Amino acid sequence: MVPSTLEAPRTRTGSARSLRTHRWRRTAGRAATGWAFAGPGTLLVVGLSIFPAVWAFLISRTRWNGIAPARDLGWGNYQRMVEDPELWESVRHTLLLTALFVPSSIAFGLVVAIALSQPIRLIRFYRTCIFVPFVASAAATGILAGYVFNPQFGSANELLRRLGLPAQQFLEDPRQVLVVICLIALWGQVGFVAVIYLAALQDIPKDLVEAATVDGASRWQVFWHVTVPALRPVTVFTGVWQTITVLQLFDLVFTTTRGGPLNASQTVVYYVYELAFQTQRYGYGSAVAYGLFAFTMLLTVAMILYSRRAKVEAF
């Protein structure tokens, strides 16, 4: 009887150890399976996003032309940004383009979405036509727009002549170039905004619209007092998205004007391109790029906080 009483605890201890080992192997197997799927994507994110960002920050604190050894400047490049008139001129162009583009894209996108929500024939064909420019490459859009707005043989001036209006210089006029770039950007981005608004319009409860109509509200009153408040989260989201888009606008400027004429369309991103890849001032170019990143981040956070304080559930 004594040996049997001594063997019982050993058996329970061995079973518990075996159970822990089985659980550990099962957990390790699940983790290995998860990393097998997430590992390649994680390596891409680290390799193509995080590592270049960290490296660019290190470069931004140096003077480096890509060939000679880098010289440490500390925060000198960031202090130099304050006294750079060409940078502030680029900032002014970028902010003016943002003020033109963001409200226009939201307004046109909402109008197009309302039009596409009507029960008309070939509605799917029209929706596809509106969305196609957003899918097209911005570089291709810029090249095509360069021909359309060419002052000598462009179709835009041909249309003005047929209407009896004087021809314009468009992309070659410093006073018109930002407006024309805004129009080109709208052609490519309105489809994206319209699709988002179109989905949001279909989520508005029909009971609210019917109740307002029964109470005697006109179509404009229903739109202003029912539709617009219901679309506030989408409006905040598209506002943030389009602001980030236009602050990073580069391809349209590069393919249409390359910052001209007389630097009238030089945005901050194009200025960074000139600093880094045309004058080989990689350190100062990286500092300007980080300045733009900080401004974009602060603006985005401010808009998100405002939307949450206003109880607009956009994020």
Side-chain angles (χ1 to χ4, degrees):
M1 295 300 292
V2 175
S4 61
T5 55
L6 292 176
E7 286 177 358
R10 288 182 182 177
T11 304
R12 289 196 293 270
T13 303
S15 300
R17 185 178 301 170
S18 175
L19 182 59
R20 286 197 299 269
T21 302
H22 177 69
R23 288 177 177 175
W24 182 85
R25 288 179 178 175
R26 187 173 58 181
T27 303
R30 290 178 177 176
T33 303
W35 277 108
F37 285 100
T42 304
L43 289 177
L44 283 176
V45 171
V46 172
L48 299 178
S49 299
I50 298 177
F51 174 72
V54 174
W55 192 39
F57 177 73
L58 297 177
I59 293 175
S60 71
R61 293 170 54 83
T62 65
R63 175 178 293 174
W64 187 45
N65 61 4
I67 300 175
R71 195 178 72 179
D72 187 19
L73 296 179
W75 299 103
N77 284 328
Y78 292 93
Q79 295 173 355
R80 182 183 174 186
M81 290 166 54
V82 181
E83 303 171 351
D84 186 354
E86 192 171 359
L87 171 61
W88 288 108
E89 191 67 13
S90 303
V91 170
R92 188 177 71 84
H93 297 156
T94 304
L95 294 179
L96 180 58
L97 191 60
T98 304
L100 290 173
F101 175 75
V102 176
S104 303
S105 65
I106 293 175
F108 281 120
L110 178 58
V111 171
V112 172
I114 293 174
L116 293 179
S117 65
Q118 305 303 314
I120 56 178
R121 294 182 61 186
L122 302 176
I123 188 63
R124 293 183 179 178
F125 172 74
Y126 298 141
R127 290 175 180 176
T128 304
C129 291
I130 289 295
F131 193 69
V132 164
F134 175 73
V135 181
S137 168
T141 302
I143 295 173
L144 176 63
Y147 289 106
V148 173
F149 291 102
N150 187 284
Q152 284 75 38
F153 54 83
S155 57
N157 266 338
E158 180 63 24
L159 177 62
L160 292 179
R161 292 189 190 96
R162 290 178 181 273
L163 295 175
L165 298 175
Q168 302 295 322
Q169 293 299 311
F170 295 121
L171 295 171
E172 297 183 6
D173 188 339
R175 297 169 299 179
Q176 301 177 3
V177 63
L178 286 179
V179 177
V180 177
I181 290 177
C182 178
L183 291 176
I184 300 171
L186 284 174
W187 183 73
Q189 291 291 327
V190 163
F192 170 73
V193 179
V195 168
I196 294 178
Y197 271 123
L198 190 60
L201 285 171
Q202 295 174 356
D203 289 339
I204 297 177
K206 295 182 180 178
D207 297 342
L208 291 177
V209 178
E210 293 174 356
T213 304
V214 170
D215 289 341
S218 63
R219 297 186 65 178
W220 169 253
Q221 289 173 328
V222 171
F223 170 76
W224 189 252
H225 295 288
V226 177
T227 305
V228 171
L231 295 178
R232 286 179 63 191
V234 178
T235 303
V236 173
F237 171 76
T238 53
V240 173
W241 183 271
Q242 296 296 70
T243 301
I244 295 174
T245 299
V246 74
L247 289 177
Q248 297 178 342
L249 189 66
F250 169 77
D251 35 21
L252 277 184
V253 177
F254 181 81
T255 54
T256 53
T257 63
R258 295 181 184 266
L262 302 176
N263 291 336
S265 63
Q266 180 174 265
T267 59
V268 175
V269 178
Y270 190 82
Y271 185 51
V272 171
Y273 164 77
E274 283 193 338
L275 289 172
F277 299 105
Q278 292 189 346
T279 61
Q280 280 75 46
R281 287 183 287 175
Y282 292 105
Y284 186 52
S286 300
V288 175
Y290 260 91
L292 176 63
F293 166 75
F295 175 77
T296 306
M297 179 65 73
L298 289 175
L299 185 62
T300 304
V301 171
M303 294 178 72
I304 292 174
L305 292 178
Y306 171 76
S307 66
R308 291 185 177 179
R309 181 170 297 180
K311 297 182 179 179
V312 179
E313 299 178 355
F315 298 94

